[in-house]
Amino acid sequence: MKQNDKKLSRGLIHYKPVEAVFFNQSTLELAKILLGCLLVKETDEGTASGFIVETEAYRGPLDRAAHSFNNRRTKRTEVMFAEAGRVYTYVMHTHCLVNVVSGEIDLPEAVLIRAVEPYEGIDLMLKRRGGTAMKNVTSGPGKLTKALGITMEDYGRRFDEPPIYIAPGFTPEDISTGPRIGIPNSGEAKDYPWRFWVSGNMYVSK
DNA sequence: TCACTGATACGA
DNA sequence: CGTATCAGTGAC
């Protein structure tokens, strides 16, 4: 197997899913602690994974930018009302985006995974992304789902068991925070510093 | 910079 | 039915 990428060196050899209790913390804490964790997806084509380097917190009832604002409950947002650790996928235009459900049952909050640093299955990810430049393979919420093979079939699954799960990864040296992206019509909510990323990481979305 | 894509939800 | 949304791409 060719190791054609220098960013493979995180010193991580074995990994397994986190325990379910990992998800039992506030949405803002979870959004930060997820940075550096490994997001793994297993499919018939093989396993692909990447370190999470950018997240955004969405806090249902009090967040105008969230799909679940004011407890809006539809077929799409239903899983956000479930227990933390569920997979919330939805389709935006032609792209599928993936979130980690957080918060207590009936508190519809979630963490959007915006970017990952490719780790395992890089050839597979490049193939799925049509041979785009390495630095663009997973540097955006729609890009990483395509690269990892995450689809609406993952909706409602749990992030603590295959075929899709979170595993411990590396500890970021420094974390940056700032306003979220792509939510211009959300009143005050657009200014909340609920976007988190690994400082200086080249795979953070532009 | 801009337009096209075209799932889903919501309001008219 | 028209419009907006937690984008990405490719043509200018």
Side-chain angles (χ1 to χ4, degrees):
Chain A
M1 187 57 76
K2 44 249 147 267
Q3 305 280 299
N4 61 356
D5 185 72
K6 56 189 184 299
K7 295 303 256 185
L8 274 175
S9 52
R10 287 290 187 188
L12 194 62
I13 309 297
H14 304 289
Y15 55 85
K16 59 179 179 152
V18 296
E19 303 290 326
V21 296
F22 171 84
F23 301 100
N24 293 342
Q25 43 194 320
S26 77
T27 300
L28 257 30
E29 284 301 313
L30 190 61
K32 280 183 274 191
I33 206 74
L34 278 171
L35 294 176
C37 286
L38 198 59
L39 172 61
V40 186
K41 177 65 196 283
E42 299 174 358
T43 70
D44 292 340
E45 296 180 290
T47 298
S49 67
F51 296 104
I52 298 169
V53 297
E54 183 180 357
T55 60
E56 280 181 4
Y58 284 87
R59 308 189 61 196
L62 44 91
D63 183 358
R64 257 174 67 72
H67 291 154
S68 55
F69 174 64
N70 207 16
N71 285 312
R72 188 152 59 87
R73 191 163 189 158
T74 65
K75 190 176 179 192
R76 178 172 69 160
T77 62
E78 183 64 35
V79 75
M80 292 181 78
F81 292 82
E83 83 279 10
R86 291 273 179 189
V87 179
Y88 172 36
T89 49
Y90 75 92
V91 177
M92 169 61 162
H93 294 258
T94 56
H95 308 284
C96 180
L97 280 64
V98 64
N99 300 250
V100 181
V101 173
S102 61
E104 305 287 318
I105 287 180
D106 287 335
L107 179 59
E109 301 191 342
V111 177
L112 170 67
I113 298 175
R114 286 194 57 88
V116 305
E117 173 183 319
Y119 176 60
E120 185 182 1
I122 288 180
D123 290 338
L124 177 56
M125 287 191 265
L126 285 171
K127 180 179 139 212
R128 283 169 171 159
R129 294 278 291 111
T132 190
M134 185 62 199
K135 63 182 170 58
N136 291 326
V137 171
T138 57
S139 57
K143 301 177 189 176
L144 73 92
T145 54
K146 186 172 182 186
L148 294 176
I150 294 172
T151 68
M152 287 307 292
E153 292 201 349
D154 295 305
Y155 183 93
R157 280 177 174 156
R158 293 197 47 85
F159 271 117
D160 57 5
E161 58 188 14
I164 182 169
Y165 59 93
I166 302 290
F170 70 96
T171 302
E173 284 181 21
D174 192 34
I175 292 174
S176 300
T177 66
R180 294 170 294 177
I181 290 176
I183 50 171
N185 294 319
S186 302
E188 283 189 7
K190 76 178 193 302
D191 298 320
Y192 297 165
W194 289 350
R195 174 174 173 244
F196 306 94
W197 66 96
V198 176
S199 305
N201 190 283
M202 68 176 286
Y203 293 100
V204 171
S205 67
K206 308 306 178 291

